[in-house]
Structure formats: C-alpha cells, structure tokens
C-alpha cells in the first residue's frame, strides 16, 4: 500500500513539473511591452499619457480577458513597430499593421483585425469643361427620353384639342395663319404658360389639365436627369492606373511616412517611365496636422494613406468648413490584411492565444463595434 502511495506521489510530482512550464508559457508572468504606433488614427494614437484607437481597444480587451500585465510604449511608425518586434524590443506591436510579404518574412503577425486599401485625399473639382457637360447630357438616355416624351405628349394634347374643339380661339393664341396658331398653341402646352386660354369649354379645359399633369411628371424626370448630369458626384478613380498615378505625382503627393503607403508609392514610382519619375514630387510626412497642412497650403495636391486613415483625416482633422473642399479622388483597391505584430521572444503559445482571442472578438461582432466607435 505504501509503495502504491509513493508511486502516485511520484507521478503527481512529475505531472506538476511538466505542467509548470506549460502554464508559465500560456500565462505570461512578466509585464508585456506593448508598442503602440503613434499618429495612426483611427487605429492607434497617443494623446498625452493616454493611448486610443480601436486597435488599442482590441488589445486592452484581450489583455483584460487573459489577466496579462502589460505596459504601453509609443512607437513612431508602423515600420518601426515591425523592426522593434523583429529585434525583440517589444513583445507586441499594436496598430493596423499591414501584413505584406516583406514584413511577414522577418516576424510573425496575428490574424487580421481588419483589412484596408489606400486612398488619395485631394481638393475637390468645382468646375467641369462645357464640352464634358454637353457630352454627359447627350449620353444620358433618361434625359433624352424624357425630352422626347415632353414634346410628344404636348403635341398629342395640341392635336386632340385642335381636332376635337376646333381652332384655338383665344386672341392670345390666334395668329395670321392656322399653322401659326397651332404651333403657338403647341408651344404653350409644351411650356405650360397661358394654357387656361386655350379652350373655353369643359371638355377642352379637361384635356388641357390632363396634358399639363403629364407634362409636370415628365418635366420632373427631365430636371432630375439634368441635375444628376450637371452636379456630378466625385467618384474615385483607380489609383493603380499608371497615367493617373503619374498625374498625381506631378501635382505633388504627401505620403504617410514609414508606412505601407510609402512603400507602395516608392514601388510604383520605379515602374513609371523616366520622365514621370523625374517630374514626381513625393513628400513623406508624419503626423495628422502636418499632412493636412501641406495639403491645405498647396505644397502638394494629394495625400496618400490607408483608406481608413484618409477618412479620419477628412472627417476629424480637417475643419468643418474645409471638408466640402476635399474628397477622395482615387483609391487603390488591392487591400491587405492588418493585425498585430509579435515580438521575436513572445512564446508561440501566447501568439496563438492572441490570434484566437481576435478571431473570437471578430466572430462576436465586438471588433466591428469598436471600429464604428472610432470613425
């Protein structure tokens, strides 16, 4: 019996010895160093002693759930976060860090917390060439059809009124010839002016009324189609197109410095013809206010950054009076996944726990709610 108890105690001790390192790895005992990328709103930002942004909120939710101690450290840029993680200076880098091949080759990332493309913020075009407007109007099928129906309905009303109730007998309609009288009456029905003078009997007045009702409906459609053509919404073009990119670079582009936006722009710049490369003006700029200032002052005509960041700059950094003057002029639609970057020395078990927690938060819709709170 004593031998059996001794054997059981030995097995329990062995299991404790085996389990101790596993528990230590699964639950970090040391304070994790979490690098937060500054000036990367709406994902991450440092405001005085506080850190904010939906990526920061995601990390805080995970750390609170796991009971992990940590401390935040400011990181100047996304590229710096990846470098610091690869060298082991930080345990986790928190922001919307794009998972591109160059970064994945040097360190590990979590599963995606979001995905995003790039966008250009530019001054809004306020005027359009007359030739472009006329071309748009001629090419608008609804506008042309409504115009044809307007002529046909008014002509049909004039013919029925002429044949059913005789010539238009009002002195304001009468002309020297019957042809002139008919055309003048038709124009009055077409324009809707003075139509009460076109008949003095109940049947004729009712016909004029019905014609006018049809005319009002058709005119409403015509006005809507014309307004849609003249007041054109700014539709972003494809920023990947070489000619569009070359044009924007010639105007001057301020790019969010030390980000995937700058990496992408430098890569695309090398693919352009030599003339376009020589004419290009690229200004790497860090900071929200600094990016907006070079755009507002006219130093550059475009700002390139992640789409979510461009929306933040437009909606939160630009003053309310300036927002109508700027719009997204082009987008780069090849979006990439974004997540946290893991430090070189962070145990794989901890990395896996973070990724599983992110996947769970996404599945529950918590991350979407955080993103919506940080527009």
């Amino acid at each position: 019996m004593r031998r059996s108890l001794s054997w059981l105690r030995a097995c329990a001790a062995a299991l404790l010895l085996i389990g101790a390192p596993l528990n230590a790895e699964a639950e970090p005992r040391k304070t994790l160093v979490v690098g937060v990328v500054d000036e990367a709103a709406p994902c991450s930002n440092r405001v005085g002693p506080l850190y904010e942004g939906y990526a920061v909120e995601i990390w805080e939710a995970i750390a609170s759930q796991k009971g992990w101690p940590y401390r935040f450290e400011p990181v100047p840029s996304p590229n710096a976060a990846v470098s610091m993680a690869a060298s082991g200076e930080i345990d986790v880098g928190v922001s919307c860090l794009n998972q591109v091949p160059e970064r994945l080759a040097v360190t590990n990332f979590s599963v995606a917390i979001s995905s995003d493309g790039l966008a250009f913020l530019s001054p809004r075009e306020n005027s359009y060439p007359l030739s472009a407007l006329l071309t748009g109007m001629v090419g608008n099928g609804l506008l042309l059809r409504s115009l044809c129906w307007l002529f046909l309905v008014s002509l049909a009303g004039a013919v029925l009124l002429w044949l059913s109730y005789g010539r238009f007998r009002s002195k304001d309609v009468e002309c020297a010839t019957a042809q002139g009288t008919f055309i003048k009456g038709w124009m009055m029905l077409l324009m809707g002016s003075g139509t009460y003078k076109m008949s003095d009997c109940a049947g004729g007045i009712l016909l004029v009324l019905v014609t006018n009702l049809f005319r009002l409906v058709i005119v409403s459609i015509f006005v809507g189609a014309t307004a849609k053509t003249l007041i054109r919404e700014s539709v972003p073009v494809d920023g990947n197109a070489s000619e569009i990119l070359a044009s924007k670079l010639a105007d001057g582009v301020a790019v969010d410095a030390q980000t995937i936006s700058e990496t992408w722009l430098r890569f695309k710049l090398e693919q352009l013809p030599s003339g376009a490369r020589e004419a290009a003006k690229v200004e790497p700029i860090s900071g929200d206010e600094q990016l907006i200032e070079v755009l507002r002052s006219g130093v550059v005509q475009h700002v390139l950054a992640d789409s979510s960041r461009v929306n933040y700059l437009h909606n939160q950094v630009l003053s309310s009076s300036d927002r109508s003057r700027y719009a997204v002029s082009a987008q780069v639609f090849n979006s990439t996944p974004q997540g946290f970057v893991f430090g070189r020395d962070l145990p794989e078990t901890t990395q896996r726990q973070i990724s599983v927690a992110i996947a769970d938060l996404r599945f529950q819709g918590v991350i979407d709610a955080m993103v919506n709170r940080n527009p």
Side-chain angles (χ1 to χ4, degrees):
M1 184 72 175
R2 288 179 181 176
R3 288 181 181 178
S4 298
L5 288 173
S6 299
W7 183 80
L8 288 172
R9 287 170 184 169
C11 289
L15 288 172
L16 287 173
L17 288 173
I18 294 171
L22 290 175
N23 290 334
E25 188 177 59
E27 299 290 338
R29 293 176 180 175
K30 71 166 190 173
T31 299
L32 295 173
V33 179
V34 179
V36 180
V37 179
D38 194 11
E39 298 278 12
C43 297
S44 60
N45 196 18
R46 183 187 184 189
V47 182
L50 303 177
Y51 294 85
E52 58 184 28
Y54 67 80
V56 175
E57 290 184 26
I58 293 169
W59 168 256
E60 289 174 336
I62 294 171
S64 174
Q65 181 189 44
K66 302 296 183 184
W68 293 340
Y70 65 91
R71 62 181 173 85
F72 285 141
E73 288 289 339
V75 176
S77 70
N79 286 355
V82 175
S83 298
M84 293 171 71
S87 64
E89 296 177 62
I90 58 175
D91 294 307
V92 183
V94 168
S95 191
C96 300
L97 299 168
N98 292 276
Q99 300 177 23
V100 294
E102 294 82 358
R103 292 177 174 178
L104 290 168
V106 297
T107 189
N108 295 332
F109 281 77
S110 70
V111 296
I113 62 171
S114 60
S115 62
D116 205 0
L118 307 178
F120 288 87
L121 181 65
S122 313
R124 189 186 297 273
E125 295 182 6
N126 295 319
S127 60
Y128 305 99
L130 179 60
S131 59
L133 292 177
L134 292 176
T135 301
M137 293 178 70
V138 171
N140 190 320
L142 180 60
L143 192 152
L144 294 178
R145 287 194 299 272
S146 61
L147 191 61
C148 290
W149 275 108
L150 182 60
F151 276 91
L152 289 173
V153 167
S154 59
L155 177 60
V159 169
L160 287 173
L161 194 62
W162 182 275
L163 295 177
S164 301
Y165 301 100
R167 293 177 55 169
F168 309 134
R169 301 189 183 281
S170 172
K171 293 181 180 179
D172 294 329
V173 184
E174 285 285 348
C175 293
T177 64
Q179 183 181 8
T181 301
F182 177 80
I183 292 176
K184 187 174 181 180
W186 176 27
M187 291 301 103
M188 290 175 68
L189 283 175
L190 178 67
M191 303 302 295
S193 59
T195 53
Y196 66 93
K197 302 177 181 179
M198 297 193 62
S199 181
D200 54 4
C201 64
I205 293 172
L206 180 61
L207 183 57
V208 170
L209 174 63
V210 172
T211 304
N212 269 334
L213 290 175
F214 275 104
R215 185 189 62 81
L216 287 173
V217 173
I218 296 169
V219 167
S220 299
I221 297 172
F222 178 81
V223 170
T226 304
K228 187 176 181 180
T229 302
L230 297 178
I231 308 172
R232 299 187 305 176
E233 292 294 331
S234 178
V235 179
V237 296
D238 185 1
N240 258 319
S242 298
E243 63 277 6
I244 292 173
L245 183 59
S247 174
K248 292 188 178 300
L249 286 168
D251 294 338
V253 175
V255 61
D256 206 5
Q258 293 295 301
T259 66
I260 200 64
S261 306
E262 184 179 3
T263 303
W264 177 86
L265 189 62
R266 300 290 185 190
F267 171 74
K268 296 293 288 187
L269 183 59
E270 291 301 317
Q271 296 180 332
L272 294 176
S274 58
R277 290 200 301 269
E278 292 171 3
K281 181 181 178 183
V282 178
E283 297 284 345
I285 303 289
S286 295
D288 300 341
E289 294 292 344
Q290 292 82 351
L291 282 166
I292 291 301
E293 182 55 34
V294 294
L295 179 63
R296 195 160 36 201
S297 64
V299 175
V300 298
Q301 292 297 307
H302 314 279
V303 167
L304 174 65
D306 286 350
S307 294
S308 60
R309 182 143 169 71
V310 164
N311 289 333
Y312 172 82
L313 293 173
H314 180 268
N315 297 328
Q316 303 295 328
V317 181
L318 275 170
S319 62
S320 56
S321 59
D322 280 342
R323 286 171 198 159
S324 61
R325 296 171 49 205
Y326 299 91
V328 174
S329 62
Q331 288 182 308
V332 179
F333 298 101
N334 50 329
S335 64
T336 55
Q338 299 172 322
F340 298 162
V341 63
F342 294 139
R344 181 190 63 193
D345 302 323
L346 189 69
E348 289 187 5
T349 303
T350 306
Q351 295 180 24
R352 185 164 56 252
Q353 284 185 306
I354 293 171
S355 287
V356 170
I358 290 172
D360 185 50
L361 291 173
R362 290 198 70 172
F363 181 76
Q364 294 181 34
V366 175
I367 289 181
D368 287 339
M370 292 176 178
V371 171
N372 292 333
R373 282 202 306 271
N374 294 268

